[in-house]
Amino acid sequence: MSQSPARRTVLRGAALAGAVGCGLTACSSGDSGANASAVPDRPVELGAAAEVPVGGAKLYREDRLVVSQPAKGTYKCFSAKCTHAGCILSEVDKKEGSCPCHGSRFDVTTGKVLQGPAADPLPEVPVKAKDGKLIAG
């Protein structure tokens, strides 16, 4: 018994939709995917405040955070999770952080997008220096 072309098309479309759905689920699952939280849900001790250079920034890749020190003793912290697809910034050069996935670049002193495809700024995270250590969140 032969299937009509219309039925074959519907069956192929259903199979393709299922495969795409599985691919999207795999892509977005896990802690480093697009659905993982961009900001810590509890305070995180990052280390010595002295490790963040004045006028520069330090990437805390494992904690998914970036901290800058625009003026001596003033700290700004942002999520290091790209707002485009959820990848973690791979490097910080002075005041710019770059995403390895699609090339987005961010000003890590303000969170603003410098180059897309990301359209939204990095979320700001509260940070304070206490007893010479930085605590974010």
Side-chain angles (χ1 to χ4, degrees):
M1 171 189 243
S2 136
Q3 294 178 354
S4 70
R7 182 169 178 190
R8 275 190 297 235
T9 303
V10 169
L11 291 175
R12 267 193 224 132
L16 181 60
V20 169
C22 287
L24 289 175
T25 300
C27 183
S28 66
S29 65
D31 201 27
S32 63
N35 293 330
S37 177
V39 296
D41 57 359
R42 58 180 161 61
V44 177
E45 188 175 303
L46 299 174
E51 292 178 0
V52 180
V54 176
K58 178 174 168 95
L59 176 64
Y60 296 89
R61 194 164 175 24
E62 191 171 299
D63 295 305
R64 299 185 314 236
L65 297 170
V66 60
V67 177
S68 65
Q69 187 177 187
K72 187 169 177 73
T74 302
Y75 299 93
K76 298 282 280 182
C77 182
F78 296 91
S79 169
K81 183 177 171 185
C82 181
T83 56
H84 172 247
C87 298
I88 304 303
L89 301 182
S90 61
E91 66 180 341
V92 171
D93 184 24
K94 297 180 184 166
K95 296 179 182 179
E96 285 189 27
S98 60
C99 178
C101 295
H102 302 106
S104 292
R105 298 187 66 75
F106 298 89
D107 180 326
V108 295
T109 64
T110 64
K112 290 182 182 176
V113 176
L114 299 174
Q115 173 182 314
D120 296 321
L122 297 172
E124 190 166 357
V125 176
V127 66
K128 63 183 175 184
K130 183 176 181 181
D131 299 326
K133 295 184 180 188
L134 290 174
I135 300 169

